[in-house]
Amino acid sequence: MTTDPSRAELPRPQSGAEPQLLLTSLLGDFWYWRDEHIPATALVRLLADFDVTADGARAAMRRLVARGLLASSRRGRTTAYGIPARTSEVIIERTYRMLTFGVTAPDWDGRWTVVAFSVPEQDRGVRTALRSRLRVLHFAALYDGVWVSPHDRAREVLDMLEDLGVRTATVLRSEEVPGTPEGGSPLSAFDLAPLAKEYKAFAERYEPLLESLEAGLIGPAQALRTRTELRVDWRRFPETDPDLPAELLPEDWDRPRAQRVFVQIYDRLGPLAELRFRQILGTVAPELAELASHHDSATVARLFASLGDRRAHGDTPFEQAAQARRLAEATRTRC
């Protein structure tokens, strides 16, 4: 807490989020399931709260439209942007999974999915693609051509092998034999130490904010920025954490602590953050400001339960862009 009683000392994210990610996060938090488009000027002012320049904000909008992640419209000289069709359902599902990730560890039947493959040197591109897609499925390399996961991913792997045209591969569901050398255990493929440090750092970075919330030291502008950056900071964990069963996790695993901090702050900052969103939108389009709304973990859970067969099927631009980003990140990871 700062010595200034009117302002809380807010945690800063480890690195600044790019404008495109900030904008999709803002609309995903306060504007999904709305058909109305928001004038570009209002979105520029929203991003200004995150120190994004007007040129940077408008460039982000153009790029998101080009990628199919924003819809645009014009009325006279005013350009406006909104959520594309079918994207709201995807946002609900992703938000639900983000809010519930880490609440519990998955059950385990004691078996591993093992993928053994041999891809010739001349097919290096196929080998790289195979490794990247295995990482996205949260497999880890036990040996060069042997990858493992405690989850039952057999069907997904078989589909992937067919898609890549890999014929020299074997997929097994196997148990580790007692007495296997420690260095040969499938668990040794997963280096959880860096991830454990990230969870601990996340909790320590944001926990002081709970005290500031109790003291009423956070205003609407701070709430909007912090809630959005909190969401951006947390979102990488469901993508990088292999989500191992409880039996395989280290004793000093700080994920439950970090998850509680995330949900508590996300929920409690919602009303104030919504107020700031409305304030900014009201300076440009007062008739739209009253339509903005926030959702907390409870309302997101209800919305998710109501989706039924409208849940994501991987064919929307939003899902395809997310998958492409994860594959690109996985490709950059050392084999």
Side-chain angles (χ1 to χ4, degrees), residues 62-81:
R62 291 193 298 270
R63 289 167 184 158
L64 287 169
V65 169
R67 297 168 62 196
L69 304 183
L70 274 187
S72 64
S73 60
R74 286 188 66 87
R75 185 173 182 179
R77 300 180 62 183
T78 300
T79 302
Y81 299 90

Side-chain angles (χ1 to χ4, degrees), residues 159-170:
D159 290 343
M160 177 187 66
L161 293 172
E162 182 178 1
D163 185 48
L164 293 174
V166 175
R167 297 287 179 260
T168 51
T170 304

Side-chain angles (χ1 to χ4, degrees), residues 105-258:
D107 294 330
W108 191 40
D109 62 4
R111 295 193 296 167
W112 296 83
T113 303
V114 181
V115 183
F117 59 88
S118 177
V119 178
E121 178 65 22
Q122 61 265 29
D123 293 331
R124 188 181 306 171
V126 174
R127 186 170 57 195
T128 298
L130 174 55
R131 289 170 172 169
S132 298
R133 290 174 69 167
L134 284 169
R135 288 192 192 96
V136 170
L137 291 175
H138 292 160
F139 278 78
L142 182 59
Y143 305 114
D144 183 47
V146 180
W147 290 59
V148 294
S149 168
H151 307 294
D152 186 357
R153 302 273 196 253
R155 184 69 262 166
E156 294 163 274
V157 172
L158 290 171
D159 290 343
M160 177 187 66
L161 293 172
E162 182 178 1
D163 185 48
L164 293 174
V166 175
R167 297 287 179 260
T168 51
T170 304
V171 182
L172 305 170
R173 290 284 292 156
S174 308
E175 293 183 14
E176 180 182 350
V177 176
T180 297
E182 183 178 346
S185 169
L187 182 58
S188 67
F190 296 88
D191 181 9
L192 296 182
L195 191 57
K197 291 179 180 178
E198 289 185 30
Y199 277 126
K200 182 178 180 181
F202 180 95
E204 291 178 346
R205 187 161 65 249
Y206 283 104
E207 274 177 337
L209 191 61
L210 292 170
E211 184 179 349
S212 298
L213 276 164
E214 290 290 346
L217 297 180
I218 297 176
Q222 293 173 300
L224 179 64
R225 180 160 183 161
T226 301
R227 190 178 197 249
T228 303
E229 291 175 342
L230 173 85
R231 176 184 174 122
V232 169
D233 268 1
W234 179 261
R235 66 186 283 276
R236 72 181 185 277
F237 288 121
E239 296 184 355
T240 58
D241 187 338
D243 198 19
L244 299 183
E247 300 95 316
L248 304 178
L249 292 174
E251 292 184 3
D252 57 346
W253 191 236
D254 272 322
R255 185 177 69 184
R257 172 190 174 194

Side-chain angles (χ1 to χ4, degrees), residues 21-33 38 43 46 64 69-71 81-84 88 91 228 231 277 293:
L21 179 54
L22 287 170
L23 186 52
T24 54
S25 294
L26 284 164
L27 294 176
D29 244 357
F30 303 99
W31 204 251
Y32 60 81
W33 261 345
I38 297 176
L43 297 179
L46 277 168
L64 287 169
L69 304 183
L70 274 187
Y81 299 90
I83 299 292
S88 292
I91 292 172
T228 303
R231 176 184 174 122
F277 192 98
S293 62

